[in-house]
Amino acid sequence: MYNLIIYLYLCGVAVYSLFNEKVRKMWRGERAAFDVLRQKVDPTAHYVWFHAASLGEFEQGRPLMEQLRQDHPELKILLTFFSPSGYEVRKDYKGADIVCYLPLDTITNARRFLRLFRPEMAFFIKYEFWYNYLHILKHRHVPVYSVSSIFRPDQVFFKWYGRQYGRVLNCFTHFFVQNEQSQQLLAKIGIDCVSITGDTRFDRVLQIKEQAKQLPIIDSFLNLAEEKPQVFVAGSSWPPDEDIFIRYFHEHPEWKLIIAPHVISEEHLQQIIEKLGNRKIIRYTEAEKITSSSSSSPLNEYDVLIIDCFGLLSSIYRYATVTYIGGGFGVSIHNTVEAAVWGVPVIFGPENKKFQEAQELKQCRGGWEITGYEDFERIMTRFANDEGALTEAGKAAGEYVQHKAGATRMILAATTLK
């Protein structure tokens, strides 16, 4: 049944690629992966394979790859992606020797792909369970590890109709899971090669914090040479998020706003600008031009900075008094720990139940869930008027991240690499 579904999916992707640019990139990239391996694989080298579905999973695998590179420079790393949103951003990642798409999980693709580079070990990040690839790896006695994985009772593996597909879990040498519930669920279906190590993302955000970029444009916008203003940073925001927090700041012009929308399109940027009304707004790329031209217009005259480029958000959070993480009024929230690591309170919408870190941030009162404008106004009013509450919430968020770090070392110490 699985292989039938995969072949039907393959046909659907081929057709849909004619009409969708993102799907077309994936379709072409998967077919080109075999040529990439033929051209780049060193037949005398020893390879470790990391597979990440997209950018978020890559960030979870990155600390492992970089620590592995440091501890075992003699090994080469192959990094594969399923989604263009991961591959297109990280195709030039220097921490891997080869980066390519992973061809869809047909028996033929899996055999052909694995013949070309013959890994000595494989790491699949979080939710990746590729039935044919994993069965072939097991048949070849290749150690395979599931990293930062998390399991819930509603997943197919734990349903009566998912028993056949659930056999794929027996292909893993070991599971490094995020929580006790995952360990217990796996135990119920007879899998006990499990360790609770937490999430490698905590190691990654601490790395990011240590390597944070200096952003002179933000310094100038906030006029940090004088007293630091109250700063609200909204990361990965969507229109429903912006409808809520922008409304509040119409009545509180004393706050400086930095908005980094998830979708950087001209249409979305114009929507944000219209919602902001008479606030004095500048885009980051415009601020760069002002800075480079030595214009006499000081950046601190503006109240709102819109980030219309990529790669800055994780460093921008350092400037925040309060942060907001978008996506919680849509499919799901984005990365909360990337903001929490800076020791600032994190606010997010209600679609966060599948994210353990969001639940734990709420429990330690470093993270705050809102369901609408009234919740947001109440929380912001408290933080604005009660410095002690603001400090306590930020401290709780930062300490939470520090406490959860360390998964990378635990995982690598437990693998067959010595």
Side-chain angles (χ1 to χ4, degrees):
M1 179 62 72
Y2 174 83
N3 286 318
L4 175 60
I5 293 171
I6 287 294
Y7 279 109
L8 291 173
Y9 179 80
L10 184 63
C11 293
V13 168
V15 173
Y16 195 37
S17 68
L18 299 173
F19 308 98
N20 184 283
E21 177 63 24
K22 181 178 179 179
V23 176
R24 186 157 52 248
K25 286 181 179 179
M26 182 179 73
W27 174 247
R28 291 173 177 172
E30 288 180 1
R31 288 188 294 172
F34 299 109
D35 291 331
V36 171
L37 292 188
R38 274 192 290 267
Q39 294 167 11
K40 295 187 175 182
V41 165
D42 178 355
T44 66
H46 300 282
Y47 283 90
V48 177
W49 176 22
F50 285 83
H51 176 64
S54 191
L55 195 57
E57 290 78 11
F58 163 80
E59 290 296 331
Q60 289 174 292
R62 184 169 180 169
L64 288 165
M65 286 184 275
E66 295 181 356
Q67 191 63 55
L68 180 69
R69 177 77 84 191
Q70 181 177 324
D71 295 345
H72 295 274
E74 75 280 4
L75 298 174
K76 289 187 179 292
I77 294 174
L78 168 69
L79 169 63
T80 58
F81 288 97
F82 175 69
S83 168
S85 60
Y87 174 79
E88 294 299 328
V89 175
R90 294 301 181 188
K91 60 187 175 183
D92 297 320
Y93 173 58
K94 302 304 181 185
D97 298 280
I98 304 173
V99 182
C100 65
Y101 282 94
L102 182 62
L104 203 61
D105 191 25
T106 67
I107 295 174
T108 301
N109 280 349
R111 287 174 177 167
R112 186 181 172 195
F113 190 84
L114 291 170
R115 282 195 196 108
L116 288 169
F117 80 107
R118 299 185 179 278
E120 298 199 356
M121 182 178 298
F123 292 86
F124 282 60
I125 312 300
K126 200 171 183 178
Y127 292 130
E128 293 302 278
F129 307 104
W130 293 61
Y131 192 91
N132 292 311
Y133 282 99
L134 287 165
H135 275 85
I136 294 172
L137 288 168
K138 182 180 180 181
H139 178 73
R140 295 182 179 179
H141 305 290
V142 176
V144 183
Y145 302 98
S146 179
V147 174
S148 295
S149 46
I150 190 164
F151 293 91
R152 299 182 304 277
D154 60 350
Q155 287 174 304
V156 66
F157 313 112
F158 312 110
K159 305 294 185 181
W160 64 266
Y161 53 80
R163 289 174 185 169
Q164 183 176 0
Y165 175 67
R167 294 173 186 167
V168 71
L169 300 180
N170 293 308
C171 295
F172 286 93
T173 306
H174 204 89
F175 290 87
F176 298 100
V177 299
Q178 293 190 33
N179 57 27
E180 187 175 351
Q181 182 191 48
S182 298
Q183 185 183 48
Q184 292 172 349
L185 286 168
L186 291 171
K188 287 181 180 179
I189 58 173
I191 296 174
D192 57 8
C193 51
V194 182
S195 299
I196 303 172
T197 53
D199 191 344
T200 51
R201 266 188 306 177
F202 293 97
D203 298 327
R204 177 60 188 148
V205 295
L206 286 168
Q207 286 180 344
I208 291 172
K209 183 180 179 182
E210 291 174 1
Q211 301 164 2
K213 302 174 183 177
Q214 292 295 319
L215 300 173
I217 286 175
I218 308 292
D219 293 341
S220 298
F221 168 69
L222 300 177
N223 194 22
L224 292 183
E226 305 296 332
E227 184 178 354
K228 180 184 175 182
Q230 290 180 307
V231 184
F232 182 84
V233 176
S236 300
S237 64
W238 293 81
D241 303 304
E242 293 145 9
D243 289 339
I244 291 173
F245 67 73
I246 288 176
R247 176 182 169 186
Y248 177 84
F249 293 108
H250 280 307
E251 301 173 11
H252 297 274
E254 70 275 11
W255 283 78
K256 288 268 196 175
L257 271 64
I258 301 177
I259 304 173
H262 184 71
V263 176
I264 301 176
S265 66
E266 189 58 33
E267 180 182 5
H268 189 192
L269 296 177
Q270 287 299 326
Q271 288 175 359
I272 294 171
I273 291 169
E274 289 175 11
K275 291 173 185 177
L276 286 164
N278 61 0
R279 298 297 296 266
K280 195 168 183 183
I281 307 158
I282 189 168
R283 301 186 189 188
Y284 192 88
T285 52
E286 293 173 346
E288 286 182 311
K289 292 176 184 177
I290 290 175
T291 303
S292 62
S293 65
S294 300
S295 170
S296 59
S297 177
L299 294 180
N300 67 313
E301 290 183 356
Y302 297 91
D303 341 279
V304 183
L305 177 63
I306 299 176
I307 309 302
D308 58 348
C309 52
F310 294 102
L312 301 178
L313 182 57
S314 59
S315 296
I316 289 173
Y317 284 130
R318 72 193 300 174
Y319 296 96
T321 306
V322 178
T323 62
Y324 181 94
I325 307 302
F329 289 90
V331 177
S332 62
I333 57 170
H334 296 286
N335 192 337
T336 54
V337 295
E338 197 173 53
V341 71
W342 291 102
V344 292
V346 184
I347 301 173
F348 42 79
E351 291 301 322
N352 60 69
K353 303 302 183 290
K354 293 182 179 180
F355 294 86
Q356 177 175 299
E357 64 275 14
Q359 307 314 307
E360 292 175 341
L361 277 168
K362 288 191 290 183
Q363 289 171 11
C364 74
R365 301 187 70 78
W368 301 77
E369 179 184 309
I370 63 168
T371 58
Y373 178 75
E374 290 73 20
D375 289 339
F376 183 80
E377 182 182 35
R378 173 177 50 81
I379 293 167
M380 288 298 299
T381 299
R382 183 184 181 198
F383 286 152
N385 297 329
D386 187 341
E387 186 175 348
L390 176 67
T391 301
E392 184 178 343
K395 181 180 178 183
E399 289 181 349
Y400 166 72
V401 176
Q402 291 285 345
H403 177 70
K404 299 288 283 188
T408 299
R409 281 292 187 186
M410 292 168 65
I411 291 168
L412 290 179
T415 67
T416 57
L417 286 169
K418 303 298 180 183

